[in-house]
Amino acid sequence: MSLLFSPNPLLAEGHFWLTLAEKEDANVLINQLARSANEMESGSLAILEARPVLISNLRAWENLILPRWYHHGENLLQHDRFLHDLLQRAEVNEQQFHSALERLPGQLDLGQRRVIALLRAYMQEASCWVLEEEWLEWLLDPRGRNPVLAKIYQCMPQPKSTLVLSLKACPQEKYQEVAMLAQQVGEGE
């Protein structure tokens, strides 16, 4: 089963907003979007959840590099260089940041996990980012966000589309509202 949207944030460019009836709807929606995106182009969707999901037994660095390696191939040194170049542009102290990359996700605070999630989206070179509203608020609030994230975010190329999932109504001035039209049953379902 796949979801149909108007406009479809996986195909259109811009900033989109989808108002959910319940917070629990986000997980189902994210899974459907990921399935649809991977059918179109593997790795084209990045998810920035309010509480980022990282693989608990992999160091933060592995949580960044392995998805890129999976989707793009090449050798790990090239991917590490891609990350290094962004950190240099952002003027991040790599020695200090390196200690966070060596930790397991359970050893990171929420702000550090969000930085890792943002870097993972960058490393993936996803054309569409799905953000939960709490993540977006944190990202846009200069007082509350992690200072490392602020530097990195300013140096990152932005995806062609972003989709915010929220329980609130769409702020019309910056976002285009997305309507969920229907669910389409696929073959074999």
Side-chain angles (χ1 to χ4, degrees), residues 100-119:
L101 291 176
E102 291 299 316
R103 295 184 196 146
L104 294 172
Q107 298 169 317
L108 302 172
D109 65 32
L110 181 59
Q112 291 169 323
R113 292 172 66 94
R114 286 181 175 167
V115 170
I116 299 302
L118 182 67
L119 285 170

Side-chain angles (χ1 to χ4, degrees), residues 27-77:
N27 288 338
V28 172
L29 184 65
I30 287 169
N31 287 337
Q32 288 290 338
L33 281 165
R35 190 173 297 121
S36 295
N38 281 327
E39 287 172 4
M40 292 169 33
E41 181 183 348
S42 181
S44 62
L45 183 74
I47 301 163
L48 298 172
E49 298 165 299
R51 298 212 162 278
V53 176
L54 303 173
I55 300 171
S56 63
N57 64 341
L58 296 180
R59 295 174 300 135
W61 180 85
E62 293 163 322
N63 272 280
L64 288 176
I65 297 293
L66 294 179
R68 180 177 169 86
W69 179 69
Y70 176 78
H71 293 294
H72 295 276
E74 302 168 353
N75 73 45
L76 292 178
L77 289 174

Side-chain angles (χ1 to χ4, degrees), residues 82-140:
F82 189 73
L83 174 62
H84 171 77
D85 291 346
L86 173 65
L87 296 176
Q88 274 193 323
R89 283 195 313 274
E91 298 178 356
V92 170
N93 181 324
E94 289 189 63
Q95 295 295 351
Q96 290 176 340
F97 192 70
H98 190 283
S99 68
L101 291 176
E102 291 299 316
R103 295 184 196 146
L104 294 172
Q107 298 169 317
L108 302 172
D109 65 32
L110 181 59
Q112 291 169 323
R113 292 172 66 94
R114 286 181 175 167
V115 170
I116 299 302
L118 182 67
L119 285 170
R120 182 175 54 192
Y122 166 74
M123 296 293 292
Q124 196 175 327
E125 296 181 278
S127 58
C128 180
W129 292 1
V130 175
L131 298 91
E132 290 184 337
E133 184 187 15
E134 182 182 329
W135 213 103
L136 178 67
E137 288 172 357
W138 181 77
L139 180 65
L140 297 177

